[in-house]
């Protein structure tokens, strides 16, 4: 299912209108898991397989390293899909990425939007209905989508909040006034169930980054979307 949030939000200068369809298969990077092929090749092959959105996430790199990675990845992606960065809004601005994704403990939505400007993508992590309501009441016109999760327990983010489960995820997705992407513990064997909720898409890390063939891994995940319809 898809939510009713497939509405145009803002226009990007170099990408398609911001709507839920861009979130269908959202890749969050992990440099260690991508070591076999390298980060850039892994991401590019995943895009060939159908990844529709990429978030650069690297908690171990310092700002200078992250900026260099961001620039290299941006050049390789060449505008084929949106490229945002996790947390480091100032690097998104400096590297001229397509936007950023922030969590509840990061800088404020208002500050992030001010840094990024009006046309960039800005996503916010949501784990509870109260967080969602707060975002609706205070930042609806500053955000483009919500990342809902974790759906399941995941080793890629050991300090995560309590898992929502499929029912909790669906409740949040149905309540959301913006497009939503589900994240946390999503693999090939449970992707279809997540696609059957009201989320607009799924976000994965190890399901693609740790795959022997990122292109095929992406294609297999998208097949679960087809089967979920």
């Amino acid at each position: 299912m898809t939510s009713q949030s497939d509405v145009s939000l803002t226009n990007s200068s170099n990408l398609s209108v911001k709507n839920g369809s861009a979130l269908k298969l959202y890749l969050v990077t992990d440099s260690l898991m991508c070591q076999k092929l390298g980060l850039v090749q892994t991401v590019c092959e995943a895009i060939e397989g159908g990844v529709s959105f990429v978030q650069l996430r690297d908690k171990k790199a310092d700002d200078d390293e992250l900026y260099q990675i961001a620039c290299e990845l941006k050049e390789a992606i060449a505008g084929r899909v949106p490229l945002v960065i996790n947390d480091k809004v100032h690097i998104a601005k400096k590297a001229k990425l397509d936007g950023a994704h922030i969590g509840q403990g990061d800088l404020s939505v208002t500050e992030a939007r001010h840094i990024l400007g009006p046309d960039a993508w800005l996503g916010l992590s949501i784990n509870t209905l109260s967080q969602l309501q707060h975002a609706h009441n205070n930042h609806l016109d500053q955000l483009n989508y919500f990342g809902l999760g974790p759906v399941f327990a995941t080793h890629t983010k050991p300090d995560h909040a309590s898992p929502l489960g499929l029912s909790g995820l669906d409740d949040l997705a149905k309540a959301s006034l913006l497009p939503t992407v589900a994240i946390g513990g999503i693999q090939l064997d449970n992707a279809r169930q997540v696609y059957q909720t009201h989320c607009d898409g799924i976000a994965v890390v190890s399901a693609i980054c740790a795959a022997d063939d990122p292109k095929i891994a992406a294609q297999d995940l998208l097949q679960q979307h087809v089967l979920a319809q």
Side-chain angles (χ1 to χ4, degrees):
M1 298 180 184
T2 56
S3 73
Q4 296 180 350
S5 53
D6 256 357
V7 294
S8 298
L9 297 174
T10 59
N11 288 317
S12 175
S13 58
N14 62 335
L15 294 161
S16 61
V17 173
K18 294 178 177 63
N19 59 50
S21 63
L23 305 174
K24 183 183 293 185
L25 184 55
Y26 184 122
L27 173 61
V28 180
T29 68
D30 184 298
S31 57
L32 291 177
M33 291 184 186
C34 292
Q35 281 183 325
K36 180 179 178 181
L37 297 176
L39 177 66
V40 172
Q41 184 176 344
T42 298
V43 171
C44 287
E45 290 189 12
I47 291 172
E48 290 177 11
V51 158
S52 55
F53 204 109
V54 176
Q55 179 190 136
L56 173 60
R57 186 171 78 184
D58 191 331
K59 297 291 188 180
K60 296 184 178 180
D62 63 30
D63 284 3
D64 289 339
E65 292 171 329
L66 200 54
Y67 172 71
Q68 293 300 323
I69 295 168
C71 290
E72 184 180 359
L73 190 56
K74 177 189 174 185
E75 182 178 0
I77 289 176
R80 287 176 288 170
V81 302
L83 172 61
V84 302
I85 199 167
N86 178 257
D87 296 348
K88 303 286 189 173
V89 176
H90 61 290
I91 295 179
K93 180 69 171 181
K94 182 180 178 182
K96 299 180 180 178
L97 303 186
D98 299 305
H101 183 93
I102 59 175
Q104 293 291 321
D106 301 318
L107 79 172
S108 72
V109 172
T110 299
E111 185 178 0
R113 177 52 74 189
H114 176 72
I115 293 170
L116 292 171
D119 296 327
W121 283 89
L122 182 57
L124 176 68
S125 296
I126 295 290
N127 178 249
T128 66
L129 186 58
S130 62
Q131 291 173 355
L132 183 65
Q133 291 171 335
H134 182 271
H136 283 167
N137 293 337
N138 297 279
H139 305 296
L140 194 60
D141 61 341
Q142 298 172 311
L143 293 163
N144 300 108
Y145 72 92
F146 296 120
L148 307 182
V151 185
F152 311 108
T154 172
H155 297 298
T156 62
K157 195 173 183 182
D159 59 343
H160 63 68
S162 299
L164 296 168
L166 290 167
S167 178
L169 171 69
D170 200 36
D171 288 344
L172 283 179
K174 285 188 289 187
S176 177
L177 298 178
L178 292 178
T180 57
V181 60
I183 189 169
I186 301 173
Q187 300 287 340
L188 183 60
D189 61 359
N190 58 28
R192 189 187 315 184
Q193 292 174 292
V194 182
Y195 272 130
Q196 287 172 335
T197 71
H198 285 76
C199 281
D200 294 276
I202 63 171
V204 299
V205 186
S206 61
I208 288 179
C209 290
D212 291 331
D213 190 322
K215 180 178 178 179
I216 291 178
Q219 291 172 337
D220 288 345
L221 287 163
L222 284 174
Q223 181 63 18
Q224 299 307 304
H225 179 269
V226 174
L227 295 172
Q229 302 310 300

